[in-house]
């Protein structure tokens, strides 16, 4: 391994993931809450998918988007946690160069996809509250399918440059990644070349994705609040706004850890490395774990089916 760390090479055959640097002695203990969160995410999201599939009354746009969110959560968490646990439990740190780039692509593309699904769900809430009588005619099955396709294509296209840019850089510093998974910035920082293109594109992608999605969500909720305040009674206002609570909680569960993790990875050089890696690792598990809990607790149809 020492030779691979010092010899010039364009594409290393393997990378070495350190897990959470500085906390190696606590890896087994850290794995316990990680494993619990992953188990909760898998069971919760599969339960959501099963309930929506078997309950005919839930075959509506809101629950179609919720199913897509559940699939996205399952893929995003499964693309990282099994490798994390193999590091924590068996000290299996090696990952091939191609597998590393594949993991990078899945993480970033499905994270982008998740953000797009929340925008689609905001659109559903807008139509349901502002145009309730036209909801079924506006959001038909074909329109929902086109929205889902647009969300998938956007994430696939925006994330595609990540592995291609990472592959073109020469890696002659080291093949040791001080992280628990192959994130874009964590990998390209190992390159012995000017990686400003990768860095700028990653920042552009982050700001445009979150900025554009937050803008559309904010526009939807501006119209929703205007419609709510026009309702005649406080009880009607609270009841209508209550239908949005699950979606708002899902937004917070995704964007707050995502933004904090991304900014600390790029600009938080004064934040200890072990804390940065721990936050980035937890971020990939928090939304998949919380989303089924949020919708399970707040959605009466799912509660009744359970």
């Amino acid at each position: 391994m020492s030779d691979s760390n010092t010899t010039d090479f364009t594409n290393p055959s393997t990378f070495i993931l350190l897990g959470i640097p500085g906390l190696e002695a606590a890896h087994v203990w850290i794995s316990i809450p990680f494993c619990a969160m992953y188990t909760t995410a898998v069971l919760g999201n599969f339960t959501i998918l099963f309930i929506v599939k078997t309950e005919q009354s839930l075959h509506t746009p809101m629950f179609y988007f919720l199913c897509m969110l559940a699939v996205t959560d399952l893929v995003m968490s499964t693309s990282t946690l099994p490798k994390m646990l193999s590091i924590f439990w068996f000290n299996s740190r090696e990952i091939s160069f191609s597998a590393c780039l594949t993991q990078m692509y899945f993480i970033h593309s499905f994270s982008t996809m998740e953000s797009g699904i929340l925008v689609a769900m905001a659109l559903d809430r807008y139509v349901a509250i502002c145009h309730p009588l036209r909801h079924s005619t506006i959001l038909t099955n074909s329109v929902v399918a086109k929205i889902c396709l647009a969300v998938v294509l956007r994430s696939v296209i925006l994330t595609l440059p990540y592995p291609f840019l990472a592959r073109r850089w020469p890696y002659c510093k080291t093949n040791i990644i001080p992280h628990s998974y192959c994130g874009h910035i964590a990998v390209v920082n190992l390159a012995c070349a000017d990686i400003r293109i990768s860095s700028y594109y990653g920042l552009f992608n982050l700001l445009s994705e979150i900025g554009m999605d937050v803008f559309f969500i904010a526009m939807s909720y501006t119209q929703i609040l205007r419609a709510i305040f026009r309702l005649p009674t406080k009880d009607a206002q609270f009841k209508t706004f209550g239908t949005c609570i699950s979606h708002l909680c899902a937004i917070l569960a995704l964007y707050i850890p995502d933004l904090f993790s991304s900014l600390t990875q790029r600009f938080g050089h004064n934040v200890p490395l072990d804390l940065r890696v721990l936050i980035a690792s937890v971020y990939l598990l928090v939304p998949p774990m919380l989303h089924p809990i949020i919708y399970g607790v707040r959605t009466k149809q799912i509660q009744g089916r359970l």
Side-chain angles (χ1 to χ4, degrees):
M1 188 174 73
S2 60
D3 291 340
S4 65
N5 292 343
T6 57
T7 305
D8 288 354
F9 49 88
T10 302
N11 287 338
S13 58
T14 59
F15 280 121
I16 307 297
L17 292 168
L18 293 185
I20 302 178
L23 296 178
E24 288 86 355
H27 273 176
V28 174
W29 295 106
I30 293 172
S31 70
I32 296 173
F34 274 48
C35 191
M37 286 191 288
Y38 179 64
T39 303
T40 304
V42 170
L43 292 177
N45 285 293
F46 271 119
T47 301
I48 294 288
L49 292 171
F50 176 77
I51 289 175
V52 174
K53 184 180 185 301
T54 56
E55 186 64 41
Q56 192 68 30
S57 64
L58 301 184
H59 293 181
T60 62
M62 171 187 169
F63 291 101
Y64 290 149
F65 292 139
L66 181 57
C67 285
M68 191 175 178
L69 185 66
V71 172
T72 303
D73 283 337
L74 286 169
V75 174
M76 190 167 72
S77 57
T78 302
S79 64
T80 55
L81 195 86
K83 183 58 183 177
M84 282 189 206
L85 292 180
S86 71
I87 296 171
F88 295 158
W89 290 345
F90 310 114
N91 202 31
S92 176
R93 300 182 175 188
E94 288 193 1
I95 183 171
S96 70
F97 185 70
S98 297
C100 186
L101 297 185
T102 302
Q103 186 186 59
M104 176 200 302
Y105 181 77
F106 270 82
I107 291 170
H108 292 288
S109 63
F110 278 87
S111 176
T112 303
M113 198 179 300
E114 198 162 289
S115 180
I117 295 167
L118 293 179
V119 176
M121 297 174 88
L123 174 64
D124 173 75
R125 292 296 84 210
Y126 161 74
V127 176
I129 293 173
C130 297
H131 305 285
L133 299 179
R134 299 172 54 203
H135 184 269
S136 58
T137 58
I138 294 175
L139 290 179
T140 61
N141 288 341
S142 63
V143 171
V144 170
K146 290 175 183 176
I147 291 173
C148 292
L149 180 61
V151 168
V152 172
L153 288 178
R154 186 191 74 150
S155 64
V156 168
I157 293 170
L158 284 178
T159 313
L160 201 57
Y162 281 163
F164 284 103
L165 286 173
R167 183 177 286 277
R168 71 187 293 264
W169 304 127
Y171 295 89
C172 56
K173 293 180 180 178
T174 179
N175 65 339
I176 297 176
I177 302 175
H179 216 294
S180 56
Y181 60 85
C182 293
H184 175 240
I185 293 299
V187 172
V188 298
N189 276 340
L190 303 182
C192 52
D194 187 351
I195 60 166
R196 283 182 295 181
I197 295 175
S198 287
S199 182
Y200 290 158
Y201 182 76
L203 188 59
F204 162 78
N205 199 2
L206 172 69
L207 295 178
S208 62
E209 167 206 324
I210 292 183
M212 183 170 62
D213 291 352
V214 168
F215 172 77
F216 284 124
I217 291 172
M219 290 294 293
S220 297
Y221 274 95
T222 300
Q223 298 300 317
I224 287 171
L225 290 175
R226 289 177 60 185
I228 288 174
F229 287 138
R230 286 198 294 265
L231 294 174
T233 65
K234 291 290 185 182
D235 184 60
Q237 291 176 359
F238 282 120
K239 186 176 180 180
T240 304
F241 185 72
T243 63
C244 302
I245 295 297
S246 298
H247 182 244
L248 290 172
C249 291
I251 290 171
L252 295 176
L254 177 68
Y255 285 137
I256 291 178
D258 185 10
L259 191 60
F260 185 72
S261 173
S262 298
L263 292 179
T264 53
Q265 290 296 316
R266 287 176 169 80
F267 308 113
H269 302 297
N270 295 327
V271 180
L273 177 62
D274 55 354
L275 182 59
R276 274 186 280 154
V277 174
L278 185 62
I279 291 170
S281 302
V282 170
Y283 147 68
L284 293 177
L285 293 172
V286 169
M289 177 191 69
L290 288 182
H291 287 159
I293 295 175
I294 290 168
Y295 280 95
V297 170
R298 293 291 311 176
T299 307
K300 291 182 180 179
Q301 298 95 317
I302 294 178
Q303 281 184 357
R305 189 68 177 85
L306 283 172

